[in-house]
Amino acid sequence: MTENVFYQAPSVTRTARERLNGHRAIVIWFTGLSGAGKTTLANALEAELHRQGRRTLVLDGDNVRQGLCSDLGFSAKDRHENLRRVGEMARMTMEAGVITLAAFISPFEEDRARVRDIVGPENLFEIYVRCPLAVCETRDVKGLYRKARQGEISHFTGVSAPYEEPTSAHLVLDTSVLSASECVGRMLESLQSRLALPGG
Ligand code: ADP
């Protein structure tokens, strides 16, 4: 399908954009159960990075599913395609010099590995937002666990679809133990060297 398509090299490189911005661009990937705190932490981290004068963008599962991926459902095949598109989009925003924070349940290791391939493992910082299912269910931020338990939603991660825990995340944050601001502190600490420009 791509045999007559030719890659066009950009005239402004990512490195040049990073120099202009004064920081490196990476993809920060948040994975975890629904209600674990991915969106909350991605937004809180973005607010702090923005306050520091860094260029950022949050890609959020719910928002993407209302636009770019509104044609997709929650079967394994559709989740697969959803994350492929998100991976490509995250790569593009990163290439544009933007620190890209992606909050997606991303329950399958195979899909997370593919995102790693698309983005490039050296560009990816994976955060496992860990929270026991029972706590997520108690929070039930959007009332989805209740609906899933009543059979009103199918393929719901943790209830009727699996969540494969990451084994090689760069950072694991247990939001049933740590406060959101403690989590932000830990993320900033671990990201500092990843965001610094070489030699500066
Ligand atoms: P997700 O994006 O993973 O589905 P959300 O961020 O939408 O999760 O919801 C997480 C809920 O948990 C929010 O209501 C948030 O206020 C609450 N919460 C409690 N403690 C924490 C914490 N330490 N970190 C993040 N969220 C927390």
Side-chain angles (χ1 to χ4, degrees):
M1 240 190 303
T2 54
E3 67 181 304
N4 295 323
V5 177
F6 299 93
Y7 174 75
Q8 303 293 325
S11 53
V12 178
T13 63
R14 172 174 157 207
T15 309
R17 292 176 207 275
E18 290 178 331
R19 266 201 303 271
L20 185 69
N21 292 341
H23 60 79
R24 284 206 60 209
I26 60 169
V27 175
I28 305 168
W29 190 272
F30 298 79
T31 174
L33 293 172
S34 175
K38 301 178 295 299
T39 302
T40 304
L41 295 184
N43 286 318
L45 177 62
E46 176 179 51
E48 182 52 29
L49 291 171
H50 183 79
R51 201 189 58 75
Q52 295 176 359
R54 297 162 194 252
R55 299 195 192 280
T56 57
L57 182 71
V58 170
L59 305 176
D60 185 84
D62 285 334
N63 298 351
V64 165
R65 280 182 174 280
Q66 287 176 17
L68 179 69
C69 299
S70 58
D71 56 325
L72 301 174
F74 291 88
S75 66
K77 184 166 166 278
D78 279 6
R79 284 180 193 266
H80 210 64
E81 174 59 11
N82 184 48
L83 293 181
R84 188 192 68 78
R85 291 183 200 175
V86 169
E88 292 288 352
M89 191 165 58
R91 186 172 63 83
M92 281 190 264
T93 51
M94 176 192 72
E95 290 293 339
V98 175
I99 301 165
T100 304
L101 302 92
F104 292 85
I105 299 174
S106 43
F108 300 119
E109 176 49 34
E110 186 192 348
D111 292 336
R112 294 191 297 261
R114 194 144 64 124
V115 167
R116 221 172 284 142
D117 280 347
I118 293 170
V119 169
E122 70 285 6
N123 298 315
L124 192 68
F125 188 86
E126 292 181 64
I127 301 177
Y128 174 23
V129 184
R130 186 164 64 190
C131 185
L133 178 64
V135 176
C136 294
E137 280 208 73
T138 311
R139 291 179 182 166
D140 209 7
V141 191
K142 301 163 200 148
L144 297 177
Y145 281 101
R146 189 183 50 78
K147 285 190 184 170
R149 290 288 178 201
Q150 290 172 350
E152 290 170 34
I153 306 175
S154 61
H155 304 298
F156 196 76
T157 304
V159 177
S160 46
Y163 179 80
E164 297 170 2
E165 293 202 303
T167 52
S168 57
H170 297 95
L171 186 63
V172 180
L173 297 170
D174 190 332
T175 64
S176 68
V177 176
L178 298 168
S179 71
S181 63
E182 284 171 327
C183 293
V184 171
R186 294 209 183 182
M187 290 189 281
L188 288 171
E189 200 180 294
S190 333
L191 285 165
Q192 211 163 14
S193 62
R194 297 291 299 263
L195 297 178
L197 286 176

